[in-house]
Amino acid sequence: MKNKFYITTPIYYVNSKPHIGQAYTTIVADVLARYYRNKLGEENVYFLTGTDEHGIKIFEAAEKEGLSPQKFTNNISREFKKTWQNLNISNDFFIRTTDKKHKKIVIDILEKLKKKDLLYEADYKGLYCVGCEKFLTINDLVDGKCSDHDREPEELAEKNWFFKLRKFLPEIKKLIDSGELIIYPEGRKKEVLGLITKQNLQDFSISRSKKFVPWGIDLPWDQDQKVYVWIDALSNYITALDYPKGENYKKFWPADIQLMALDILKFHTLYWPAICLALDIPLPKALYIHGFFTIDNKKMSKSLGNIINPNDLVEKYGADASKYLILSQFSFGSESNINKDEFLVKYNSDLVNGLGNLVNRVTNMIEKYLKGNINIEFKELFFIEEINKKIEELNFRGALLDIWKVIQKDNTIIDKEKPWELFKNNSLEELNNILQELALDLYNIGLALQSFMPQKSKEIVGIITNKKVIKPEKPLFPRLNN
Ligand code: MSP
């Protein structure tokens, strides 16, 4: 990897408030950004997230609330920003597709494509789902309805501008095959290759008639058309960097990792690379796709009222603990179910009784038996290397499990060796050895948590490297009963 790291999340639709699925993607990006800042230096990492604000879905949602689309998107975009601040997310920039600069660069991009003769006008006939903001094929329908939105698509014919996607598919296939464009996990890569080879993919339209989609960027050479929301949205990954001349663009593009869930696989693995090829710019290096969350085995949805708002979690558990609870539940890539009751159980067992208790016990004993004096060399233990490897492989759950193994081991050592009895029996050398060993472990646990729980990590490292180690006044994690 070059000496820089550019990571992106999808930009989130502002048709509803942030939920835990979007928080998951954002937290994963945050862990990686923090990890690489530490490894490569602050200035060599760029972490981008933001909001996707155009299109019919958003227009409809604004109308329902009696607000202008701009006002409506301002409100919800602010809500996203605030949520990421509450979760202590360390994004370097927050892009909005209603930003003036973004809109201008999108137009430049489209004009470039047109000049290169990669756009053409044609009739589009099809079944259009307003919910998906796309035309569906017969295969997408269940009982004549869009299965995602449970509504019948509308028959639609309109003149659109099309992008010559098909021209780029053989090249994209070659790049995926050769591993130059990484699609992870392997199963998703196969799925994408299958899309290219088995489905007769068509060119896709990059504009929509204003009549159906009144809220979007105007197509400069055709007054009847707006830019299709996906072209608008995908471009964010380079408009945020001031493509084509910006310093950030020169320094950070291509993206090292682009994160998303499988719902937007096709757009990112085919449409987006095709646009990059068309613009003659490098392709993103890796697309990492994770599964969809369900809540208590049900799909998250407004109508079921089972959407978890990340802000509620933060309010109850704090930012660091919320991130831990979300990341430790499942492995990246898999389909995952969130068991709502599990949060409290895990909070109390892993954080209060596990980590918090260990910090309490160790610092208390050092204060009491060693007068707060420890005498160790603060060095990295081997397990840090293992954890770093896991973070780089996006095996966050594995990394956290490893850290918690050390926590468990240390709590067991204390239970078994009973330092208070060693003190009573005057076995001071043994007592000293054990406490020094525990102190070094605690220091390393603090280090290992740096990317996952930045605040708690800082607290732990601060306490243990202090001249006089004293037990914190307040426990690291207060016990919660419900
Ligand atoms: N606006 C588009 C993306 C444009 S990117 C150029 C969009 N937005 S979205 O708000 O619907 O968010 C999609 C992303 O949010 C998913 O790819 C995923 O990263 C995250 N998640 C949304 N729902 C999710 C779950 N139920 N589970 C896990 N992640 C989910 O699509």
Side-chain angles (χ1 to χ4, degrees), residues 89-154:
I89 297 295
S90 64
N91 53 301
D92 293 284
F93 188 56
F94 186 100
I95 190 164
R96 301 183 55 187
T97 55
T98 50
D99 289 341
K100 248 201 196 126
K101 196 184 77 188
H102 168 81
K103 292 194 277 191
K104 185 186 169 301
I105 303 177
V106 169
I107 288 172
D108 290 348
I109 288 173
L110 284 166
E111 274 177 338
K112 244 182 216 166
L113 298 180
K114 183 147 185 287
K115 235 190 237 147
K116 289 186 169 199
D117 198 25
L118 293 169
L119 303 181
Y120 61 94
E121 211 179 6
D123 246 349
Y124 194 104
K125 278 195 224 81
L127 299 168
Y128 188 81
C129 171
V130 174
C132 301
E133 241 158 348
K134 63 183 183 195
F135 284 95
L136 303 177
T137 65
I138 293 290
N139 294 338
D140 295 327
L141 303 182
V142 176
D143 295 332
K145 288 182 177 172
C146 162
S147 58
D148 281 348
H149 295 94
D150 198 32
R151 64 201 268 179
E152 277 178 25
E154 299 157 26

Side-chain angles (χ1 to χ4, degrees), residues 13 59 75 87 122 126 145 169 218 221 247 250 281 326:
Y13 281 129
F59 184 80
N75 291 346
L87 270 167
K145 288 182 177 172
L169 291 176
D218 288 323
W221 63 85
E247 283 309 310
K250 287 182 206 149
I281 68 173
I326 293 176

Side-chain angles (χ1 to χ4, degrees), residues 9-15 19-26 51-52 57 80 229-230 232-237 259-264 268 290-294 299-300:
T9 72
I11 46 171
Y12 303 112
Y13 281 129
V14 292
N15 58 333
H19 60 67
I20 197 164
Q22 296 156 328
Y24 176 75
T25 317
T26 315
T51 42
D52 187 358
K57 254 193 276 185
F80 271 90
V229 67
W230 268 102
D232 173 0
L234 287 166
S235 306
N236 94 86
Y237 301 128
L259 295 170
M260 75 214 69
L262 48 96
D263 54 335
I264 50 179
H268 281 81
H290 64 79
F292 241 53
F293 292 173
T294 49
K299 201 173 159 175
M300 260 191 283

